Amino acid sequence: MSTVKETVDVDVPVRRAYDQWTQFEDFPRFMEGVEEVTQLDDRHNHWTTKIAGVKREFDTEIVDQLVDDRVTWRTVGGETRQRGSVRFEPLDDTHTRVELTMDVEPTGMAEKGADALGVIDRRVKGDLHRFKEYVENGGGEGGWHGRIRPEDPATGH
């Protein structure tokens, strides 16, 4: 399993950065290779990706979410295996540090080759910089302000 960690500072308040990140269905607007994200309920999302010509579908479960602080997830179904966390740190009233940490287990020859060549690291870095541009230029609207704790029982799809 490979660990990827990237940080970007965005010129928006923490609430705006957090709100935009929790609009999961907007991810294809700034994440390369993400074709679609469908939010199934407060905890679960279904992803469709196409990377290097390989299409994958998988589900993720949010295991910890605290407003304006963090979102932590893991895959729960499909061929892709990963877990990660994004944290939001207010630098001042109008600037936020966004830190993304992911553990990715490449599956298949294409993913393993991409990982060995550093493609996953570069993609995550690129995605974070596209998120910066997206959120600073208005992005979507809204956000979810509920609380999910690791000890909360997971609901079905």
Side-chain angles (χ1 to χ4, degrees):
M1 190 166 277
S2 296
T3 299
V4 178
K5 186 173 183 177
E6 293 292 340
T7 302
V8 69
D9 293 346
V10 296
D11 297 336
V12 298
V14 69
R15 173 59 52 99
R16 179 78 183 104
Y18 173 86
D19 281 357
Q20 183 56 63
W21 194 273
T22 61
Q23 297 301 303
F24 304 112
E25 292 184 351
D26 285 351
F27 281 9
R29 296 175 187 233
F30 57 86
M31 287 188 174
E32 186 180 345
V34 176
E35 291 188 338
E36 182 178 28
V37 178
T38 303
Q39 189 160 359
L40 304 172
D41 58 34
D42 289 344
R43 292 180 77 101
H44 299 94
N45 293 297
H46 180 78
W47 293 64
T48 303
T49 62
K50 189 171 186 180
I51 300 170
V54 178
K55 188 171 183 171
R56 298 266 191 245
E57 293 194 37
F58 58 93
D59 293 330
T60 56
E61 175 186 33
I62 296 170
V63 294
D64 187 19
Q65 184 168 345
L66 179 62
V67 175
D68 297 345
D69 185 74
R70 67 184 173 272
V71 179
T72 304
W73 70 92
R74 65 180 175 196
T75 54
V76 292
E79 300 175 74
T80 301
R81 289 178 180 62
Q82 63 169 263
R83 63 179 178 249
S85 183
V86 61
R87 296 191 166 267
F88 304 88
E89 177 189 348
L91 300 175
D92 59 33
D93 289 345
T94 60
H95 299 88
T96 304
R97 178 159 294 143
V98 180
E99 180 182 271
L100 176 65
T101 305
M102 290 177 53
D103 293 321
V104 179
E105 184 176 323
T107 56
M109 292 302 290
E111 290 90 343
K112 289 177 182 177
D115 184 40
L117 294 172
V119 172
I120 294 173
D121 284 336
R122 288 191 301 277
R123 175 155 295 166
V124 169
K125 185 174 186 173
D127 288 348
L128 268 187
H129 285 279
R130 283 185 293 278
F131 173 76
K132 173 183 172 63
E133 291 173 19
Y134 186 69
V135 73
E136 288 177 358
N137 290 314
E141 292 296 324
W144 188 74
H145 299 123
R147 174 71 169 112
I148 295 174
R149 293 173 180 83
E151 65 274 6
D152 292 342
T155 57
H157 299 275

